[in-house]
Amino acid sequence: MSRAAWLAGTLAALAAGGAGYGAGRMGGPDPIPLFARAWAGFAAGPEAPPEAATGPVVYYQDPDGKPVYSLSPMMTEDGRLFRAVQASEDLRFDRPAAEDGSGQAGPGAGDGPKNSGRTVRYYRNPMGLPDTSPVPKKDSMGMDYIPVYDGDDPDPSTVTVSPGRVQRTGVRSAVVERRVVSRPVRVPGTVALDERRVTVVATRADAYVDHVEDVTTGDRVRQGQPLVSVYAPEINAAAAQLIANPGFDGARRRIRNLNVSEAVIAEMERTRTVPRAITWAAPRDGLVLERRAVEGMKAAAGDTLFRIADLSRIWVLADVPEHDLAGIRVGQAATVRVPGRSLTGRVEVIYPQVNRETRSTRIRIELPNPDGLLLPDMYADVEIATGATEPVVAVPEGAVLETGARQAVLIEAGEGRFAPRAVEIGRRGDGYVEIRAGLRAGERVVTAANFLIDAESNLKAALASLAAPPTDGEGGR
């Protein structure tokens, strides 16, 4: 190739690329096809014969090659028709050799595989109108009818889309997989005391507080640690009877019924004396929640002197909305987040009552609290993992098309073909939907831009119902 020819080809390619760039900015077709055609012409050299254009008209271009395009026939200001650009003239990365022996373009002008050796059933209108013909023909705009071969689109709802168009419209697909579909329920909660671990220190007889140890609210005490000494006439009388009648079971039972500890009774039996004041000790390890004992006060039988709670295990109470209650089960894992830490527990109790005002039901989660960082009335965020624990067939939520009466997905059948399929859905959670019937693992479903394909599938099915394939011997309709 001469230097002049090389320079001319390069300039033509650059000019075509610039024109395409301007067209892209004005909303015209992609500039890459124009540049690619110019470069292809240069690379082929002057000896390469031009290929005949095939396929339907995809758009119309200004006859002078200006970056002005139209989807329908139109004329220039001086009365000249725009040039029709056929599918083979537009750049396609997915075009196989789709010419059969008769020279007719295959369906979609390159949207499918090579149709050599296949029988043409009929020809359909290139604009998708309900018009077919048993023989090749052109429409009113001079566009060739598209042949439909045996085996093509057996389902009228199946849509064939070229890979280039799939990319332009943003169609994405995903493989159907088996996964655990869970929908976490997040509700607020509060830390509460375990009611089974709260103890009250009180006397069972009228008494006077003689002495209170240096223990106050918020202190941690150990089991057996002295708390308060009281003088109670009834207790002293029972102690005197015990000493006067050693071995008499009735006297011993009487003083035990007054809640005097075994250690104090044993000391009285050993010393054979009645102490002036009886000492009450902490019944368990825990935190002093309340101190009411004051030296010199009179305490009636049953009055609370101290209230102690064991905080080694605590409760978290959360109110679950009524509409989420069906997914909550006893034993489900729950994550509790409090300021600075996160703990894992299980749902232990679902209270059998719905709050009339809030329409919610309380649940209880038990958590260990060995370091005592969880305190009563502390705020907590509760997350409960509801749903199936075993993997199920599931698809992304975006793959499901809601039609009101039913649900469907679009199956990617390969070679740019898509077909709708009705499904039965189940649980939802984590962005996925359980498919109970209609799909199996390993199939591919459309997850994005599926509504565009679905609309085209519905339109195609409707047109097919209006225009059934012609029988032999019939003319165009």
Side-chain angles (χ1 to χ4, degrees):
M1 181 181 294
S2 67
R3 192 176 190 85
W6 179 87
L7 180 59
T10 303
L11 292 176
L14 294 177
Y21 174 75
R25 295 180 59 88
M26 294 189 297
D30 194 334
I32 295 179
L34 303 178
F35 177 82
R37 288 197 297 273
W39 176 257
F42 163 68
E47 295 78 16
E51 296 182 1
T54 60
V57 176
V58 292
Y59 57 88
Y60 297 84
Q61 183 183 7
D62 185 275
D64 296 328
K66 297 179 181 179
V68 181
Y69 306 90
S70 173
L71 295 178
S72 60
M74 66 178 296
M75 301 180 67
T76 62
E77 294 180 356
D78 55 2
R80 291 179 298 157
L81 286 173
F82 271 42
R83 186 179 68 86
V85 179
Q86 293 178 262
S88 63
E89 297 179 276
D90 193 21
L91 182 63
R92 295 287 299 274
F93 293 100
D94 57 308
R95 179 181 296 109
E99 301 291 332
D100 60 14
S102 63
Q104 294 288 340
D111 287 350
K114 183 175 182 180
N115 296 307
S116 178
R118 301 171 62 188
T119 303
V120 177
R121 295 172 54 199
Y122 59 94
Y123 296 82
R124 61 180 176 86
N125 189 286
M127 301 303 292
L129 298 178
D131 184 19
T132 61
S133 171
V135 295
K137 62 179 292 188
K138 296 181 180 291
D139 66 358
S140 59
M141 296 186 296
M143 298 172 60
D144 290 327
Y145 271 47
I146 300 174
V148 177
Y149 295 87
D150 285 336
D152 284 350
D153 296 341
D155 183 358
S157 62
T158 300
V159 177
T160 301
V161 183
S162 66
R165 185 179 173 195
V166 168
Q167 184 176 12
R168 290 193 298 270
T169 56
V171 176
R172 293 194 299 272
S173 61
V175 178
V176 180
E177 298 177 335
R178 297 184 62 86
R179 63 174 62 242
V180 175
V181 178
S182 63
R183 184 174 64 87
V185 175
R186 297 179 177 89
V187 291
T190 54
V191 178
L193 294 172
D194 187 339
E195 297 171 354
R196 301 164 297 189
R197 297 174 181 269
V198 179
T199 305
V200 171
V201 177
T203 64
R204 296 181 181 177
D206 293 344
Y208 296 89
V209 177
D210 185 68
H211 174 70
V212 182
E213 298 293 335
D214 187 17
V215 176
T216 186
T217 302
D219 289 346
R220 295 186 181 273
V221 295
R222 301 182 307 276
Q223 183 177 4
Q225 179 179 340
L227 297 178
V228 61
S229 298
V230 300
Y231 165 70
E234 185 177 353
I235 294 177
N236 282 16
Q241 184 181 8
L242 175 65
I243 293 174
N245 300 283
F248 179 54
D249 185 64
R252 185 178 181 86
R253 182 175 300 174
R254 178 186 177 189
I255 195 170
R256 286 181 61 188
N257 289 343
L258 293 173
N259 203 27
V260 178
S261 66
E262 287 291 341
V264 173
I265 295 175
E267 181 65 18
M268 287 190 295
E269 289 178 333
R270 186 183 66 81
T271 61
R272 310 291 301 169
T273 58
V274 178
R276 179 176 178 278
I278 304 297
T279 299
W280 252 254
R284 64 166 66 241
D285 296 345
L287 182 71
V288 176
L289 301 178
E290 186 179 10
R291 166 186 159 164
R292 291 187 179 179
V294 179
E295 290 185 3
M297 68 174 286
K298 179 182 178 180
D303 284 354
T304 299
L305 301 179
F306 285 89
R307 193 160 68 97
I308 301 171
D310 180 6
L311 299 183
S312 61
R313 292 190 67 85
I314 52 88
W315 290 351
V316 175
L317 304 178
D319 294 329
V320 177
E322 188 175 3
H323 60 81
D324 289 328
L325 191 60
I328 305 297
R329 297 287 185 274
V330 173
Q332 285 178 329
T335 301
V336 178
R337 296 180 178 86
V338 295
R341 64 183 310 179
S342 178
L343 301 171
T344 301
R346 294 188 176 275
V347 177
E348 299 291 340
V349 175
I350 301 175
Y351 288 82
Q353 185 175 1
V354 176
N355 188 295
R356 184 177 301 175
E357 286 75 23
T358 63
R359 309 308 305 170
S360 60
T361 298
R362 178 159 291 186
I363 65 170
R364 188 175 78 208
I365 302 166
E366 296 185 19
L367 294 174
N369 187 32
D371 50 9
L373 294 181
L374 299 179
L375 302 176
D377 297 326
M378 182 180 286
Y379 179 82
D381 288 319
V382 179
E383 181 178 306
I384 306 166
T386 65
T389 57
E390 297 296 329
V392 295
V393 176
V395 298
E397 285 185 340
V400 179
L401 295 168
E402 298 283 353
T403 63
R406 64 186 182 92
Q407 293 81 31
V409 297
L410 285 174
I411 302 297
E412 184 179 358
E415 298 181 352
R417 293 182 292 116
F418 302 90
R421 185 184 297 176
V423 294
E424 179 183 343
I425 66 173
R427 298 184 179 92
R428 296 174 182 262
D430 290 338
Y432 288 87
V433 181
E434 176 189 1
I435 303 298
R436 294 178 176 174
L439 282 179
R440 63 179 183 272
E443 294 184 290
R444 294 193 70 89
V445 294
V446 180
T447 60
N450 47 4
F451 65 94
L452 296 175
I453 301 177
D454 181 59
E456 186 168 343
S457 172
N458 293 334
L459 177 61
K460 182 177 179 182
L463 295 177
S465 66
L466 296 176
T471 58
D472 294 340
E474 292 185 358
R477 289 176 293 176

